[in-house]
Amino acid sequence: MALAVGCRARPGKARDNKTGSWRVFKPIFDHEKCSKCGMCKTLCPEGCVHEDAEGLFNPDYSYCKGCGICAVECPKEAITMKLEEK
Amino acid sequence: MAEKTCELFDCGHRACGGCGAALAARLVTKAAGKDSIFVSSTGCMEVFSTPYPETAWKVPWIHSLFENAAAVASGIEAALKKQGRKEKIVIMAGDGATFDIGMICISGAFERGHDFTYICYDNEAYMNTGIQRSGATPYDASTTTSPAGKCSFGNKRPKKDMPAILAAHGAPYVATTSIAYPADLLQKVEKAIATPGPSYVQVHAPCCTGWGFEGEQTIAIAKLAIETGLWVNYEMIDGKITKVKKVVRKPVEEYLKTQKRFRHLFKPIRQDAEIAAIQAIADKNAEKYGIDIKLNKKE
Ligand SMILES: Cc1ncc(C[n+]2csc(CCOP(=O)(O)OP(=O)(O)O)c2C)c(N)n1
Ligand code: SF4
Ligand code: SF4
Ligand code: SF4
Ligand SMILES: [Mg+2]
C-alpha cells in the first residue's frame, strides 16, 4: 500500500470499516416504550444511534457492536439485547 | 459553539465494544466543534481511531509521540497565532501519556502558557500495550505490572493528583469530569476551550477490557466511581475549587466488586483491611472536596 504524504487520510474514512460484523447481541428498540429522551444516542460509544424525522431512535446496524450500553442505560427499558442469528 | 448534531468522531473505529474512551472522543469533539485541531498521543484512542488509511476523525488530527503531545500542540498554537488563525487546539491523551511520560512536555507547555485545552481520558492504566500500571492507576488495582498475588494486593501507590499539579502551574481552568455525565463533560470542555491559556480536563473513562467488566456496564461503573467518592467531579478556576458534584455516598465495595482488577479483594477471601484502606481514600476525598449530601434521618 502506498502511503500518502504525512500518512493523511480522508476525514471519517473509518466508515469503510463496518463494525456491525463484530456483534454477538443485537439491540432491539421498542418504539412503543420509548420516551424519546435520546440517552441511547448520547451514550453510544460508536455514535451509531440516529434520530429519524419522527423523533424515533434507531441504531445503524452496520456499525453497532452490540455492546449493550444503550439497553442498560435506557430509562424506559425500551431496548433489549437479543442473540443474533447469523 | 458546540455542535450537538454533527458527529465529528465517526463510526467504524476499532475500540472494544463499550469503550469509555471512544465515548469520550465523541463527546469532546462535539463540545470542541469543527473549528478545532486535535493532537493525540500514542495509546488506545490513537490506535483504534486511526489504523492507516482509516480515520474516525472529521476534524484535523495529528498523532504525536507517546510523550510529546503537549509540545506538538504548543508548536501548532504558536504557528496559528503567527498566522492570525482562530482554530482551537485540543489534546486528547491517555493517562500514561499525561501522568507519566508526558509530564516534562506538559509542564513546559503550561509554563509557557499556550492557548490550548489538554484533555486526559483516564482509563487508569496503559491499556494499548496490555494493562500496565500508570500514575493514574488506583490503589490496589491489579495490572500486568502490579499483579495481585501471594505477595501483593496490586498497585501499591495512590493515584497521582494531576489536576492539582496543573493548577499549581497557574492553569486558569482545571476540571475533572466523567463519561457518565455527558452534559457536565460537554459544559466543562466548552468552558476549557473558551478559557484563554492552557486548560486541563481529566475525563474518567472506564475500560471494560483493562478493568475486567462487561462493556454494557461502562456507564454504570463510571457512575459508581462518583457515587462512592473514588472519583470526584469538580472545577477549579485560577486554582480555586468553584464547583463540586455532591453525592449520597455508597460504600466503596459497591464499585470495587464490579471489576476484575479488584477481584483479589473479595476472593478467595475477603480482605477487610484493604477494603478499609480504599474506603479511607474515598472518605478523604469526601472531606477534601465536600461531596457528601447529608440526609436528615427521620425517626
Ligand atoms: C516512548 C514510548 N514508550 C513506549 C511506547 C509504547 N506505548 C504505546 S501506547 C502506550 C501506553 C499508553 O497508555 P495511555 O497513555 O494510558 O493510553 P491508553 O492506551 O491507556 O488509552 C505505550 C507504553 C511508545 N509508543 N513510546
Ligand atoms: S434511551 Fe430509551 S427511552 Fe430514551 S430515546 Fe433511547 S430508546 Fe427511547
Ligand atoms: S449496543 Fe452499543 S454500539 Fe449498539 S447501539 Fe447500543 S450503545 Fe451503540
Ligand atoms: S482496551 Fe480499554 S480503552 Fe482500549 S479500546 Fe478497549 S475498552 Fe477502550
Ligand atoms: Mg490509559
Side-chain angles (χ1 to χ4, degrees):
Chain A
M1 180 174 54
L3 297 182
V5 173
C7 287
R8 67 190 193 278
R10 175 167 55 75
K13 185 170 163 53
R15 287 189 78 86
D16 293 355
N17 183 35
K18 302 280 191 288
T19 49
S21 64
W22 299 14
R23 201 169 49 239
V24 177
F25 292 93
K26 186 176 188 175
I28 310 292
F29 285 51
D30 179 348
H31 294 140
E32 300 283 301
K33 288 187 185 165
C34 174
S35 68
K36 303 184 176 178
C37 71
M39 197 49 90
C40 47
K41 177 178 154 105
T42 302
L43 294 177
C44 172
E46 310 310 314
C48 73
V49 179
H50 300 293
E51 187 180 353
D52 69 14
E54 287 149 59
L56 299 174
F57 291 84
N58 283 302
D60 181 344
Y61 291 119
S62 306
Y63 298 102
C64 165
K65 292 174 186 166
C67 71
I69 286 181
C70 55
V72 168
E73 299 303 325
C74 170
K76 294 291 171 190
E77 293 177 17
I79 306 168
T80 42
M81 301 303 291
K82 295 243 161 68
L83 186 64
E84 193 162 356
E85 308 284 339
K86 279 194 178 149
Chain B
M1 267 301 284
E3 297 176 42
K4 308 287 183 206
T5 50
C6 174
E7 294 287 339
L8 296 172
F9 187 81
D10 216 335
C11 297
H13 62 74
R14 293 163 189 258
C16 308
C19 173
L23 176 55
R26 270 195 61 221
L27 295 172
V28 169
T29 49
K30 238 187 238 304
K34 65 175 176 25
D35 293 328
S36 49
I37 296 174
F38 276 72
V39 182
S40 282
S41 56
T42 312
C44 266
M45 189 180 292
E46 168 263 323
V47 168
F48 71 61
S49 66
T50 62
Y52 188 76
E54 289 167 15
T55 177
W57 302 84
K58 285 160 71 176
V59 284
W61 176 93
I62 183 170
H63 174 205
S64 68
L65 299 174
F66 184 25
E67 61 272 33
N68 69 349
V72 169
S74 301
I76 296 171
E77 190 257 6
L80 293 187
K81 205 154 118 191
K82 193 81 185 155
Q83 295 171 40
R85 284 166 60 176
K86 302 279 180 228
E87 291 99 318
K88 298 297 182 184
I89 297 137
V90 184
I91 297 157
M92 269 295 226
D95 51 286
T98 305
F99 286 58
D100 300 345
I101 198 169
M103 191 64 106
I104 297 175
C105 290
I106 295 168
S107 181
F110 275 69
E111 187 182 321
R112 290 187 300 270
H114 294 281
D115 184 12
F116 63 43
T117 299
Y118 192 112
I119 313 272
C120 171
Y121 67 96
D122 186 2
N123 55 21
E124 305 190 320
Y126 296 12
M127 295 312 178
N128 177 52
T129 40
I131 325 172
Q132 292 83 24
R133 78 167 290 286
S134 78
T137 303
Y139 179 73
D140 268 1
S142 187
T143 71
T144 52
T145 48
S146 64
K150 273 191 196 133
C151 309
S152 169
F153 289 113
N155 184 44
K156 286 190 169 45
R157 300 293 301 151
K159 191 180 179 85
K160 194 188 287 182
D161 193 351
M162 195 66 192
I165 293 170
L166 293 177
H169 280 71
Y173 187 84
V174 171
T176 54
T177 185
S178 163
I179 56 158
Y181 297 90
D184 181 73
L185 189 155
L186 291 173
Q187 201 195 2
K188 283 172 176 164
V189 173
E190 283 175 25
K191 215 160 159 179
I193 291 174
T195 305
S199 46
Y200 178 68
V201 182
Q202 191 168 296
V203 182
H204 203 215
C207 161
C208 43
T209 306
W211 299 8
F213 62 82
E214 293 297 329
E216 62 178 20
Q217 293 299 321
T218 299
I219 305 297
I221 285 175
K223 276 197 184 130
L224 274 172
I226 293 196
E227 288 164 354
T228 54
L230 287 172
W231 181 276
V232 181
N233 272 358
Y234 60 86
E235 193 170 69
M236 264 182 179
I237 295 176
D238 293 326
K240 285 209 179 64
I241 292 180
T242 49
K243 193 172 125 189
V244 177
K245 173 152 181 69
K246 299 199 178 215
V247 292
V248 177
R249 249 186 328 134
K250 294 177 174 168
V252 292
E253 63 176 281
E254 288 191 28
Y255 175 68
L256 304 175
K257 269 185 177 163
T258 58
Q259 305 159 49
K260 284 203 190 107
R261 63 179 176 159
F262 297 117
R263 182 173 49 186
H264 54 286
L265 302 178
F266 302 96
K267 281 177 187 160
I269 50 161
R270 197 186 150 88
Q271 303 294 340
D272 284 314
E274 291 305 305
I275 296 167
I278 298 170
Q279 186 61 55
I281 296 171
D283 293 348
K284 210 170 134 190
N285 281 344
E287 202 185 316
K288 180 173 173 193
Y289 298 101
I291 60 174
D292 283 336
I293 296 173
K294 302 268 187 310
L295 291 178
N296 293 325
K297 285 209 182 81
K298 289 199 186 97
E299 291 298 302

